[in-house]
Amino acid sequence: MMDCLFCKIAAGEIPSKKVYEDDLCYAFYDIDPQAPTHFLVIPRQHIESAAAVDASNSAVVAHCFEVIAKITKELGLESFRVVSNIGEQAGQSVFHLHFHVLAGRDMTWPPG
Ligand code: AMP
Ligand code: ZN
């Protein structure tokens, strides 16, 4: 998608601190970390949010979760939180599906 920040980051058109990449997804550190470890995993394909997941794109989303398991193992993270905000009221500010992976501090529940 032309004017999407995360499409541009995945394409390497906007710099980011890469954690992992493959044909289907890209992972990079959040610019405004909310925990000692905070990175984002995004599909390369533009999907607006988790509310736009359907049979045509769900394999890519499953792959993102495989990648999350792989990266966190490699980083030695035994406990972490995966968050995806959907819509403005829930705090979504970038409308390209992304999974926040947060670790390294105690987490509260329920989230604010
Ligand atoms: P959300 O608010 O759930 O849509 O998450 C968007 C996230 O993207 C926020 O945590 C931002 O800090 C992060 N973010 C925005 N711009 C960049 C960027 N250029 N590089 C890395 N992370 C970014
Ligand atoms: Zn996009």
Side-chain angles (χ1 to χ4, degrees):
M1 199 196 185
M2 289 271 280
D3 261 335
C4 172
L5 173 64
F6 284 0
C7 281
K8 288 180 180 167
I9 285 179
E13 291 164 14
I14 289 176
S16 64
K17 204 171 156 202
K18 182 173 82 173
V19 180
Y20 172 89
E21 70 176 324
D22 63 26
D23 289 351
L24 295 177
C25 73
Y26 185 74
F28 57 106
Y29 286 104
D30 197 292
I31 205 166
D32 181 22
Q34 301 301 312
T37 300
H38 183 180
F39 60 87
L40 305 172
V41 179
I42 65 173
R44 289 191 184 277
Q45 179 184 346
H46 183 85
I47 300 169
E48 191 164 299
S49 77
V53 175
D54 60 23
S56 75
N57 58 26
S58 60
V60 173
V61 178
H63 182 73
C64 289
F65 276 87
E66 275 186 44
V67 164
I68 289 169
K70 176 183 161 67
I71 297 171
T72 50
K73 267 190 203 78
E74 283 173 7
L75 295 178
L77 303 173
E78 288 177 0
S79 185
F80 56 91
R81 182 170 287 177
V82 180
V83 176
S84 193
N85 298 318
I86 294 110
E88 279 172 25
Q89 189 176 27
Q92 185 175 10
S93 61
V94 178
F95 288 80
H96 177 128
L97 176 63
H98 51 282
F99 298 104
H100 296 261
V101 180
L102 301 127
R105 65 165 170 81
D106 293 340
M107 305 278 168
T108 57
W109 190 263

